[in-house]
């Protein structure tokens, strides 16, 4: 490995990138615009669920009950219907996601001390939204039931209403949210987005850069030159690595300044861990480029090995802890998961090397395996 | 038969035969790139299988307990944190250890039961348990808060009834209502139905943009476009076969993954009309390939095209409404979602496949999709034709 040759190769690659103005600007615009769009766009909170009401009772009590839903910021009241048959097309067309049916004689039965069944229909198409809506419905119903029961007890036992309410709910829950007190999804999304963007863009840059030489045939210049394999790989990839490292800094600044995510950890540790992560994802692109002969194939393989796991197995949308064993295993095969822990830990929890050394080690191992595999698989002699 | 009609029917024949020849050329070119074929096959089968295995709900989240009471009452509360949502991760002796476990991500939640918990319950004095939740992952944190609130609330309610000497049978005489919620379309809330269909729609989106764009840019980059331009083919005859060939591939792949994976493995019900679904898919593929063609006219090489496609595609996928409910979005983003073709396509696909909705119900979304589609595709074709005029 001669530094001068590496320098020459890196310089040649850098000139080539510089002259492709569109490509150069996209290499920086894509990460920044993705960060902006997702930072402002991803909101996992379930709010304003559109719902309709079928009130077959139409009494003061049924209206009181329904107002609990209408006044909640989690639900968005869309109107009353006259019969159960009208609800079905509304649900099928996704005009509403949820419906409540209050039976006839709701007030009369409750006043007479008879139990009543209230039906709610929930759209099950999007499971996360379904379970969250179900949680809201149960909570509202429990609150109303508690009030009913407290009223009943205070009448029957002759205790004041305040005391009756305490009797009904003897155990209070004090919830404390750690690391993200107001559950701002933006705070967790900004660090996670760094993981996502740095997983997607470097492999594309790298894979296409190398395969382009293969497809154009300009790689034969390298094959016939005195440059060794290791020199070629290092020199070729240095500029791409450099671009990604600059992107790390830009994205970190955006997370902290634009999205106001708190950064509690050690900046130097986080920066070094990010460089290791970027060398991992660049390595993925490198490995892909050695298998693919055409740029189209390189592009599709990169999609397969980066975008899909980035969406599914990185903890961005689906928490890894709640996956089944097989998916958890797959998640451990991709570097994204480790970096998500590092990013969230550094930003929100303020922990460093002491707790995260295992994750950093995994990334380091991952990256060296990729680079060694690339070195072993790259041949200057074309095999036919 | 007059001469002129013979001539026009002849030219129609010629037009179609050229189209057929070019389409088969595109298909051959695709088929010979073994790695590409494998990647496409993988996306339509194994990838969707893997996605279907992903669960979205809270599952076996680890709860550690700091029990300062050690009474039958506290133990009963602790043992209510059970699977499928929670699992007990053991007892800790002090608060600091709880924080340490949360820091390391070894536990999601710490349940803290105060001393004299049972004593207070029996005396009818209000007591308070503390729950600390790691909310660095918002989804998990919210679900854990909601479920633990439900468990503790139910426990308190049961304890109150017990204290007042009311049993479950005695409840019949109490004015309370029973909550009977039913979940429609996916009664057991199987994540696999949602995840596999959503992944299929993502795969279709990715391929519909990338394949035609790549096919168009490649000719430019290699210079083979010059050969096509000196041939008697019109620009539309060069471009349309690319889109048609890739649409055929995508429809074939969709059929494969619907029968083998989504119905075969995950047993999702195909309630609606499959011809309607395939017609909508073809329409959607044309729309997205219009975007792909637009990108191809802007770029000179595939590296540029790939970066631009990512920039257009990722927001379309993540803001499609499958992950983030449009109702909860800020107004600006919600409006942006309404011009995303994938938003309509996702709604229509779930409505057809899971809910069994037909044209009668879906006409407005279909209208939106087809308007958007013809606009985008027309724009792509216009840009593609224009680049040859220079």
């Amino acid at each position: 490995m001669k530094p001068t040759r590496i320098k020459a190769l890196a310089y040649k690659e850098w000139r080539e990138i510089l002259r492709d103005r569109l490509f150069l600007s996209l290499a920086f615009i894509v990460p920044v615009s993705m960060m902006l769009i997702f930072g402002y766009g991803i909101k996992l909170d379930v709010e304003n669920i559109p719902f309709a009401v079928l009130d077959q009772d139409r009494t003061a009590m049924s209206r009181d009950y329904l107002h609990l839903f209408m006044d909640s910021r989690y639900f968005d009241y869309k109107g009353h219907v006259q019969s159960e048959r009208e609800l079905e097309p509304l649900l099928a067309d996704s005009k509403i996601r949820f419906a409540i049916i209050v039976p006839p004689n709701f007030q009369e039965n409750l006043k007479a001390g008879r139990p009543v069944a209230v039906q709610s229909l929930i759209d099950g198409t999007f499971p996360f939204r379904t379970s969250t809506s179900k949680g809201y419905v149960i909570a509202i119903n429990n609150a109303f039931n508690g009030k009913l029961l407290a009223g009943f007890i205070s009448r029957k036992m002759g205790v004041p209403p305040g005391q009756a309410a305490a009797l009904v709910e003897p155990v209070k829950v004090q919830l404390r949210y750690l690391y993200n007190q107001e559950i701002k999804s933006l705070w967790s999304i900004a660090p996670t987005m760094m993981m996502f963007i740095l997983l997607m863009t470097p492999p594309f840059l790298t894979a296409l850069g190398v395969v382009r030489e293969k497809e154009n045939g300009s790689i034969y210049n390298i094959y016939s030159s005195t440059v060794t394999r290791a020199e070629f790989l290092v020199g070729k990839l240095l500029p791409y690595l450099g671009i990604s490292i600059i992107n790390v800094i830009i994205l970190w600044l955006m997370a902290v300044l634009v999205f106001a995510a708190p950064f509690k950890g050690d900046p130097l540790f986080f920066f070094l861990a990010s460089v290791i992560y970027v060398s991992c994802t660049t390595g993925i692109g490198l490995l892909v480029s050695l298998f693919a002969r055409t740029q189209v194939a390189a592009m599709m393989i990169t999609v397969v090995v980066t975008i899909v796991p980035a969406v599914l197995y990185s903890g961005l949308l689906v928490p890894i802890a709640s996956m089944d064993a097989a998916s958890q295993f797959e998640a451990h095969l991709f570097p994204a998961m480790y970096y998500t822990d590092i990013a969230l830990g550094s930003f929100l929890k303020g922990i460093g090397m002491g707790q995260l050394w295992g994750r950093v080690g995994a990334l380091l191992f991952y990256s060296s395996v990729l680079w060694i595999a690339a070195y072993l698989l790259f041949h200057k002699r074309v095999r036919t | 038969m007059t001469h002129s009609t013979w001539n026009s029917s002849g030219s129609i024949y010629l037009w179609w035969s050229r189209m057929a020849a070019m389409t088969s050329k595109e298909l051959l070119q695709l088929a010979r790139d073994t790695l590409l074929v494998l990647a496409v096959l993988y996306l339509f089968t194994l990838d969707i299988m893997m996605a279907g295995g992903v669960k979205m709900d809270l599952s076996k989240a680890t709860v550690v307990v700091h029990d300062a009471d050690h009474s039958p009452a506290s133990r009963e509360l602790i043992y209510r944190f059970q699977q499928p949502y929670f699992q007990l991760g053991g007892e800790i002796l002090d608060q600091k250890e709880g924080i340490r476990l949360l820091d390391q991500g070894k536990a999601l939640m710490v349940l803290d039961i105060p001393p004299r918990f049972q004593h207070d319950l029996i005396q009818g004095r209000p007591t308070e348990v503390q729950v600390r939740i790691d909310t660095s992952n918002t989804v998990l944190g919210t679900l854990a808060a909601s479920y633990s609130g439900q468990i503790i609330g139910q426990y308190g309610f049961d304890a109150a009834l017990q204290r007042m000497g009311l049993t479950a049978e005695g409840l019949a005489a109490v004015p309370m209502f029973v909550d009977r919620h039913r979940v429609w379309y996916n009664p057991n809330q199987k994540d696999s139905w949602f995840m596999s269909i959503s992944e299929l729609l993502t795969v279709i989106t990715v391929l519909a943009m990338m394949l035609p764009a790549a096919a168009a840019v490649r000719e430019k980059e290699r210079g083979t476009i010059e050969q096509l331009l000196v041939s008697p083919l019109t620009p539309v005859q060069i471009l349309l076969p690319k889109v048609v060939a890739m649409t055929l591939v995508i429809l074939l792949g969709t059929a494969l993954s619907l029968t083998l994976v989504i119905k075969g493995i995950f047993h999702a019900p195909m309630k609606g009309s499959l011809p309607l679904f395939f017609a909508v898919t073809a329409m959607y593929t044309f729309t997205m390939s219009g975007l792909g063609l637009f990108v191809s006219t802007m770029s000179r090489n595939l590296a540029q095209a790939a970066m631009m496609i990512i920039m257009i595609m990722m927001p379309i996928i993540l803001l499609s409404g499958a992950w983030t409910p449009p109702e909860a979005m800020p107004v600006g983003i919600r409006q942006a979602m309404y011009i995303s073709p994938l938003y309509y396509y996702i709604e229509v696909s779930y409505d057809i496949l899971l809910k069994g909705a037909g044209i009668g119900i879906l006409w407005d979304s279909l209208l939106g999709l087809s308007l958007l589609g013809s606009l985008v595709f027309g724009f792509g074709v216009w840009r593609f034709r224009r680049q040859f005029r220079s």
Side-chain angles (χ1 to χ4, degrees), chain A residues 86-136:
Chain A
E86 283 173 61
L87 290 173
E88 203 181 328
L90 285 175
L91 277 166
D93 195 16
S94 311
K95 291 265 185 288
I96 57 170
R97 301 263 175 217
F98 159 67
I100 323 171
I101 302 171
V102 179
N105 309 325
F106 176 78
Q107 174 171 307
E108 192 191 319
N109 282 337
L110 284 179
K111 286 224 163 121
R114 281 190 294 266
V116 176
V118 171
Q119 218 180 55
S120 44
L121 307 172
I122 308 172
D123 181 349
T125 326
F126 300 95
F128 170 62
R129 264 179 257 175
T130 311
S131 40
T132 317
S133 328
K134 219 161 83 176
Y136 296 151

Side-chain angles (χ1 to χ4, degrees), chain A residues 208-361:
Chain A
L208 290 168
V210 176
V211 179
R212 182 161 47 174
E213 294 224 30
K214 271 183 164 180
E215 207 174 359
N216 287 341
S218 60
I219 201 154
Y220 283 93
N221 295 333
I222 302 293
Y223 289 162
S224 59
S225 70
T226 52
V227 173
T228 64
R229 293 190 280 171
E231 284 164 0
F232 171 71
L233 293 179
V234 174
K236 177 98 188 163
L237 293 191
L238 270 182
Y240 295 107
L241 205 58
I243 292 179
S244 301
I245 290 174
I246 297 173
N247 276 331
V248 166
I249 299 171
I250 296 178
L251 292 177
W252 183 80
L253 285 175
M254 283 180 78
V256 174
L257 298 178
V258 182
F259 297 119
F263 187 82
K264 296 181 185 157
D266 178 3
L268 186 68
F269 163 74
F270 183 62
F271 176 73
L272 290 178
S274 303
V275 171
I276 297 176
Y277 177 63
V278 169
S279 81
C280 258
T281 54
T282 310
I284 294 178
L286 178 63
L287 207 57
V288 167
S289 71
L290 295 180
F291 286 106
R293 242 178 302 160
T294 59
Q295 293 189 68
V296 194
M299 201 159 98
M300 288 321 302
I301 301 278
T302 315
V303 167
V304 168
V305 297
T306 60
I307 297 192
V308 173
V311 173
L312 287 181
Y313 297 124
S314 62
L316 170 68
L317 299 168
V318 186
I320 300 203
S322 63
M323 291 178 183
D324 61 3
S327 313
Q328 277 205 12
F329 175 71
E330 278 150 19
H332 282 80
L333 293 180
F334 295 103
M337 191 194 93
Y338 306 104
Y339 187 69
T340 309
D341 285 348
I342 294 176
L344 286 176
S346 293
F347 269 90
L348 301 178
K349 297 188 183 175
I351 50 180
M353 199 62 190
Q355 282 91 353
L356 293 168
W357 62 270
R359 268 84 170 180
V360 178

